[in-house]
Amino acid sequence: LSFLKMLFFFFFSLFFPEINDGEGHPSSSHQALKGTSRWATSLESLLEDPEGVKRFREFLKKEFSEENVLFWLACEEFKKTQGKKQMQEKAKEIYMTFLSSKASSQVNVEGQSRLSETILETPHPLMFQKLQDQIFNLMKYDSYSRFLKSDIFLNHKKSEEQEENSPEAQTAAKRASRIYNT
């Protein structure tokens, strides 16, 4: 019986590669969720998915608050920056784009005025963390819940469900089921 289970999971992972842990074992149910189902579990899950970020940006743009997710993403990218010179350049770019009083896409954060340009001379990966956390919480407790009720989210969810119910998807699931039941 265990050989048949292994065989099933092997073939199942061929047809549904997103539902295994990379070693052919089924992943947890949270990891197995994809698309809108996963986005609806948490803002963190939404922000881990490039398509989710794209749809969330589309929604925020309509709400005139796209700068929030752009700032959050810029801070995430900044944390990965290597080298003092590159960090200085990126820190200045983030400051000028999102935090300066003359910023083109200014975000609304508390303590924004306390962050002066002088801090840009000695950057460190977490220098924007408090401000990034404020923006994350703003999105999590405000924009995210509205996003889950928006036409953008609901239409994408509907199209995913239609794809899942398509004859091609059902055929692959039936093949996997037959393999397991033999």
Side-chain angles (χ1 to χ4, degrees):
L1 182 67
S2 64
F3 174 74
L4 286 175
K5 280 186 179 178
M6 282 181 11
L7 191 62
F8 167 75
F9 288 127
F10 171 75
F11 283 108
F12 193 80
S13 68
L14 288 176
F15 294 110
F16 304 101
E18 70 279 358
I19 308 181
N20 69 63
D21 65 4
E23 297 178 8
H25 304 108
S27 64
S28 74
S29 60
H30 177 71
Q31 291 172 328
L33 295 174
K34 61 181 194 173
T36 54
S37 297
R38 180 150 186 196
W39 304 348
T41 61
S42 69
L43 178 58
E44 291 89 338
S45 295
L46 171 73
L47 294 172
E48 289 172 0
D49 183 346
E51 182 67 22
V53 170
K54 178 182 171 185
R55 301 297 177 176
F56 192 49
R57 280 185 64 186
E58 189 179 327
F59 169 76
L60 291 176
K61 191 178 281 189
K62 289 182 175 189
E63 293 215 330
F64 304 102
S65 59
E66 182 186 22
E67 68 277 358
N68 291 333
V69 74
L70 294 176
F71 173 72
W72 188 88
L73 291 167
C75 291
E76 285 298 294
E77 193 62 35
F78 178 75
K79 291 175 192 176
K80 301 173 193 170
T81 305
Q82 301 291 316
K84 185 179 178 181
K85 182 87 170 138
Q86 287 84 0
M87 286 187 90
Q88 285 176 326
E89 290 171 5
K90 284 197 175 192
K92 185 173 182 172
E93 184 180 324
I94 289 172
Y95 180 81
M96 298 307 285
T97 304
F98 301 105
L99 301 170
S100 158
S101 60
K102 300 173 187 166
S104 57
S105 298
Q106 191 178 40
V107 291
N108 186 14
V109 291
E110 295 174 27
Q112 177 177 327
S113 57
R114 290 191 304 245
L115 187 67
S116 67
E117 285 190 61
T118 57
I119 195 172
L120 302 176
E121 298 304 315
T122 55
H124 58 89
L126 301 177
M127 67 188 283
F128 298 115
Q129 190 63 53
K130 284 185 179 182
L131 301 175
Q132 184 186 17
D133 289 345
Q134 285 181 33
I135 292 299
F136 180 85
N137 286 329
L138 177 67
M139 291 188 300
K140 182 176 183 175
Y141 297 111
D142 186 42
S143 310
Y144 175 66
S145 58
R146 286 195 313 277
F147 170 70
L148 295 178
K149 298 172 189 164
S150 73
D151 287 342
I152 292 171
F153 176 81
L154 295 173
N155 289 339
H156 193 73
K157 182 178 179 179
K158 187 177 180 179
S159 69
E160 276 183 352
E161 290 168 352
Q162 289 171 343
E163 284 178 26
E164 287 174 10
N165 294 326
S166 73
E168 296 84 25
Q170 290 176 0
T171 302
K174 284 179 186 176
R175 281 193 303 244
S177 175
R178 269 184 285 181
I179 292 167
Y180 181 72
N181 289 324
T182 55

